[in-house]
Amino acid sequence: MKVIAAMSGGVDSAVAAARAVDLGYEVIGVHLALSSNPQKYRSGARGCCTIEDSHDARRAADIIGIPFYIWDMAEEFHDGVVEDFMTEYAAGRTPNPCLRCNEKIKFQAVLDRARALDFDAVVTGHYANMRETEFGRTMHRAVDPAKDQSYVLAVLNKQQLDGAIFPLGDSLKTGVRKEAKARGLYVANKPDSHDICFIPSGNNAGWLRDRLGSEVGPIVDEDGKKLGEHQGAYTYTIGQRRGLNLTVPASDGAPRYVLKIEPKTNTVVVGEHESLAVTGIEGDRAIWCGPVPSVGESLRGFAQVRAHGSPLACTYTTPDGSLISVDLDEPLYGLAAGQGLVIYDGDRVVGSATVSATR
Amino acid sequence: MPIYFDHAATTPMVAPAVEAYQDAMLQIGNASSLHTFGRDARRRVEEARETIASVAHCEANEIIFTASGTESNNLAIKGLYWNAVSADPSRKVILISAIEHHAVMDPAEWLVEHEGAELILLPVLPTGEIDLVFLSNLVASRGSEIALIAVMHSNNEVGTIQPIDEVVEVAGDIPVHTDGVQSFTKVPFNFSKLGVTTATISAHKIGGPYGVAALLVKHGLDITPILHGGGQERDIRSGTLNTPGIVAFAAAAKYADTYRQQNAEKVNQVKSALKEEILLKIPDARFNGTGMDQLPGILSVTFPGTESDGLLLLLDGEEMATSTGSACSAGVQQASHVLIAMGLSARDARSSLRFSLSPSNTLADVKRLGEVIEGVVAKSRASMGYK
């Protein structure tokens, strides 16, 4: 079997590529150039195309002993991920660009190209497990709970998952680092990436303001009373408490949280913590990682709405296969439209949807 | 056996150069030292200089040894610009062809960004030949503002040979630099007849070692240096002379010059066969820059509907080395500015591959390529959704 190992220049993808070789695959390493301005040097950066990262990926490929190439995916990344990120924020939603990147770039643009060039699959350093179960080949949580990335992979449909290999799913991160060291990969101690890769400063609000402009608007309470002003509604997220700079204190002195963002009127609505409570979630753009659950049937499972959020016991149903409706057993506090809603059956990923409304 | 079709990137050292290199590496002595060892090293450097001078048809003292073609081009572009501006501050225009190598293009752009130079790119015709009418008009209208003109002797991506003698004639008193890295020893290259002010040549493109090159500088011209130090090369270039490299450079130049005619014939024959084979298997393939005088060893091919880095990957998998043009420092392939300047669309430029040959390539290599090229192109087209 011939596979493409996507190599970011970090430790996980390097070990994943090495393990793919051990598994007997014919492996070719590919570094994805995702930035249209690759000349910029960012020390310790990960994910986007930088000189240092592409060099690290190349050296890892040398040590593993596989061919190595760089694929320019800057245009696809910009159109599919960065543009989407901006459009979603401008519409008052809170997108997760890593989900979009897996869906549109790593397991679409790259996988399609790999398949056309006669490769069978794409290997990545994601922490998730593919297993043969009664439902066929299905995706499950990784063994390392701190590193589990099944949430950001839940946007992959069955056909995409059939072309995906995740060799790290049964390992702990500490073990992967040790293994990297033992294999002589000098990226063994390279720090993990946390920021959004195309916003290296980590200042998401500033980045959005630079691109979407900054228009002052009102911050109001649930009754519509103005409490302060903001510098652009899209730089806030539901549940946010800090950075509101309200001029009118709450009557009971309790902290206030962002409840709603109304992009049309450029208004941010704030209120007490209790008002953030959500017991029902509606999602659209449903994607099923395995078999589609029977339409209309109420099923028990767990919902997760953030990359490292807790799984919340719930009853879910899909009225038509493209929408998911969730009733949570216990309320969840703070959920924004645009976030990814992922449904689990135990540790098996059932599928995902994009949050469109909350109850 | 892997097949190497990338001799314009670098080509293996020839036996006489390896021998000269090994021999010189075992000799002691800094060519600038005054004792017997030093004088002996200096003698070998000067003999090498004379050998190269006889091949390049220049005077020995017109050769400034450097560490790379890039350094030579930087020295020429920056040095000539600084010379011109210090003599006449209104000479701030740098005129270079649109198809220059980055080693010429980037120092010119650097002078624009840092020293207020004005850069004008000399357009080329679809054959890759520079537009002499544009050049004449520009020299007629703004000649007094032009600091220097740079036109490469032949292009590294498509092989087109430029009419340098005509450039020099049009330029009149304006200094002309030519990057001769691809031409030297492959086609007639006569520094004194060309009449250029400066020219770059490099060892590793002709069967010599890496890390040694030269700038030929017209006798009597003191070009402003970019490296300062011991002043080893007539105060124009500082740095300990690379005696083994220079000696091997000379051996390679002499060897290539001796066999130039027969090498060119052999390479041309293989190139013709390669063109035929490609057209037979991929009838809509197009060759770039073939309407003009060409270097024997370079063939640029556009395979419509493909992506060149996919082609390269697949051919590499078949143990055949080709080139896609230049990449940025992070390794991302760029659409060739040369092909775009020649009028190709960005899409076609990104569907192009360069084959570059040496006398070591054979008709059997062509046959092997013929066996795989159809499948390779079909896969790349499928990856692009090309019908």
Side-chain angles (χ1 to χ4, degrees), chain A residues 56-324:
Chain A
D56 287 348
R58 181 187 305 276
R59 286 298 297 138
D62 287 344
I63 289 159
I64 298 163
I66 55 175
F68 176 81
Y69 306 93
I70 292 173
W71 284 4
D72 183 3
M73 292 279 164
E75 216 179 295
E76 290 88 343
F77 186 75
H78 185 266
D79 294 352
V81 180
V82 181
E83 282 283 347
D84 174 80
F85 183 77
M86 286 194 282
T87 317
E88 285 289 286
Y89 262 109
R93 291 188 288 267
T94 304
N96 182 328
C98 301
L99 280 158
R100 223 39 83 218
C101 181
N102 286 327
E103 180 189 358
K104 301 283 185 200
I105 309 299
K106 291 188 181 131
F107 297 98
Q108 185 174 319
V110 175
L111 181 60
D112 286 354
R113 187 163 193 223
R115 282 176 164 153
L117 295 177
D118 234 10
F119 292 85
D120 303 294
V122 171
V123 174
T124 69
H126 284 115
Y127 286 78
N129 274 310
M130 296 303 300
R131 281 192 210 127
E132 287 298 334
T133 63
E134 55 186 304
F135 305 104
R137 190 167 178 265
T138 49
M139 181 164 62
H140 300 258
R141 285 191 190 275
V143 164
D144 188 338
K147 293 306 297 180
D148 173 44
Q149 287 173 304
S150 56
Y151 175 85
V152 291
L153 295 168
V155 286
L156 305 184
N157 61 34
K158 182 152 181 0
Q159 203 213 357
Q160 288 173 305
L161 286 168
D162 281 345
I165 297 172
F166 308 124
L168 304 189
D170 59 357
S171 301
L172 298 177
K173 176 80 183 207
T174 47
V176 169
R177 285 199 183 279
K178 269 187 208 149
E179 181 178 331
K181 206 172 170 195
R183 287 179 183 271
L185 296 163
Y186 78 88
V187 289
N189 294 317
K190 200 169 169 177
D192 285 1
S193 56
H194 292 293
D195 299 330
I196 294 175
C197 74
F198 54 88
I199 309 181
S201 65
N203 179 6
N204 299 2
W207 189 92
L208 285 164
R209 217 175 288 131
D210 288 348
R211 280 152 187 85
L212 298 174
S214 139
E215 210 181 316
V216 175
I219 299 180
V220 302
D221 65 17
E222 289 177 87
D223 298 326
K225 186 178 152 205
K226 187 171 165 182
L227 306 176
E229 282 185 338
H230 65 76
Q231 303 293 320
Y234 47 79
T235 60
Y236 295 85
T237 48
I238 307 290
Q240 178 176 341
R241 175 182 158 191
R242 289 166 202 279
L244 295 175
N245 300 321
L246 299 179
T247 48
V248 181
S251 52
D252 60 358
R256 279 169 300 199
Y257 299 79
V258 174
L259 303 180
K260 220 173 6 176
I261 296 158
E262 295 170 347
K264 277 192 189 137
T265 56
N266 194 29
T267 302
V268 173
V269 182
V270 300
E272 57 183 9
H273 188 253
E274 222 26 61
S275 303
L276 284 171
V278 166
T279 52
I281 310 169
E282 303 302 329
D284 56 14
R285 287 188 78 237
I287 295 164
W288 306 105
C289 303
V292 184
S294 33
V295 166
E297 194 180 338
S298 283
L299 298 158
R300 290 293 294 168
F302 294 89
Q304 187 174 326
V305 294
R306 285 185 191 84
H308 295 285
S310 309
L312 310 164
C314 71
T315 302
Y316 69 94
T317 175
T318 175
D320 61 354
S322 74
L323 302 171
I324 299 179

Side-chain angles (χ1 to χ4, degrees), chain B residues 76-77 79-85 88 90-95 111 117-118 142-150 173-176 197:
Chain B
I77 301 300
L80 290 175
Y81 179 79
W82 288 327
N83 275 13
V85 170
D88 175 359
S90 66
R91 283 194 185 266
K92 301 200 94 162
V93 172
I94 301 174
L95 181 57
L111 288 168
E118 181 188 351
R142 299 188 65 183
S144 65
E145 298 169 66
I146 300 175
L148 72 129
I149 298 170
D173 293 338
I174 303 166
V176 175
T197 315

